[in-house]
Amino acid sequence: MTEHLSIALTKGRILADTLPLLAAAGIEPLEDATATRKLKVETSVPGTSLLLVRASDVPAYVQYGGADIGVTGKDVLLEHSGRGIYEPIDLGIGRCKLVLAGKPGVDLNGQCRMRVATKYPLVTADYFARLGRQVEIIKLYGSMELAPVVGMADVIVDITETGSTLRANGLVVLDDIVDISSRLIVNKASMKMKHKTIHALMSAVKSAVTEKFND
Ligand code: PRP
């Protein structure tokens, strides 16, 4: 009997690096996943489909069983409770850093409560709690770099890869918070119920990751 398996992925910069890892497990989309407007794409393995969702929704799809497996950034996972999810493989792709950034010379030790713009409120609250600092967190959904430019926030917590968005907006890294990469995540119930299929996939993906980074 064909076992159904669904894998939640995100369109965008990580997809091109993720598809070869799935191809190593024999899973190839039957149409161009980067271009289609379809949200569910069938693959070369009957019963196995790719779901194309927003990066920040991947943990929810996997937690609630909408998908058996997902690929998303550690930044997204740090904002999620992790309930119902295993995180067995660091795929080594999508590497970037979560940083504190602001205008050069910004006074981080001033008397008043700093305003921090971010789409990562939990990680940000944890970071400043560890420093013993009380801050006001402004939750944004993107383009965080604009907040210090227009004076709405003193600093931001965001991911940076090449640094070009920070540079283009006159901001600098003030502190490195954590290294980020993409992770393969698995629904805990699926791991039990579809053990054989998921283990075969994980083992092929792990070998492909090892091969990719040992070349
Ligand atoms: C991310 C991040 C930065 C940018 C950093 O945004 O929020 O803005 O990439 O990359 P860089 O260091 O290579 O310039 P993304 O493009 O994912 O869009 P978003 O603003 O919607 O999050």
Side-chain angles (χ1 to χ4, degrees):
M1 201 179 74
T2 306
E3 184 155 70
H4 287 271
L5 198 71
S6 53
I7 306 170
L9 305 176
T10 303
K11 274 192 188 174
R13 41 180 138 182
I14 309 303
L15 188 58
D17 284 338
T18 304
L19 291 176
L21 300 177
L22 292 179
I27 300 168
E28 298 190 64
L30 294 182
E31 58 189 295
D32 184 354
T34 60
T36 183
R37 296 293 299 167
K38 270 196 209 161
L39 301 173
K40 185 175 180 203
V41 173
E42 298 309 323
T43 72
S44 49
V45 178
T48 295
S49 48
L50 306 183
L51 310 180
L52 300 169
V53 306
R54 286 183 68 133
S56 51
D57 289 337
V58 170
Y61 272 87
V62 175
Q63 177 181 356
Y64 293 104
D68 300 294
I69 290 173
V71 172
T72 194
K74 183 68 182 172
D75 53 326
V76 169
L77 293 168
L78 288 171
E79 283 293 309
H80 189 266
S81 70
R83 221 173 297 137
I85 289 176
Y86 292 119
E87 188 193 314
I89 308 179
D90 180 347
L91 298 174
I93 57 175
R95 286 181 194 275
C96 55
K97 274 183 195 300
L98 192 70
V99 299
L100 178 72
K103 289 185 181 167
V106 61
D107 182 11
L108 295 177
N109 298 309
Q111 290 304 306
C112 63
R113 208 155 113 148
M114 265 201 316
R115 280 183 165 179
V116 189
T118 187
K119 67 174 170 191
Y120 305 101
L122 296 180
V123 180
T124 300
D126 181 61
Y127 169 73
F128 281 103
R130 278 188 279 120
L131 295 178
R133 291 286 312 261
Q134 284 222 327
V135 295
E136 185 176 352
I137 295 173
I138 304 174
K139 162 90 186 187
L140 296 177
Y141 292 87
S143 307
M144 267 73 70
E145 293 84 355
L146 190 56
V149 173
V150 297
M152 187 170 87
D154 302 292
V155 289
I156 62 171
V157 168
D158 193 14
I159 51 169
T160 177
E161 186 186 353
T162 62
S164 55
T165 312
L166 290 177
R167 272 193 302 280
N169 292 287
L171 305 180
V172 293
V173 173
L174 303 168
D175 194 13
D176 287 347
I177 299 178
V178 63
D179 288 337
I180 301 295
S181 57
S182 295
R183 308 299 166 98
L184 184 128
I185 58 174
V186 183
N187 174 281
K188 284 188 175 171
S190 302
M191 188 78 107
K192 279 202 194 92
M193 308 292 289
K194 303 179 183 180
H195 184 82
K196 216 170 147 198
T197 310
I198 290 178
H199 269 261
L201 183 151
M202 280 176 23
S203 151
V205 168
K206 264 188 202 156
S207 304
V209 170
T210 307
E211 201 174 308
K212 181 177 166 95
F213 292 106
N214 286 343
D215 270 355

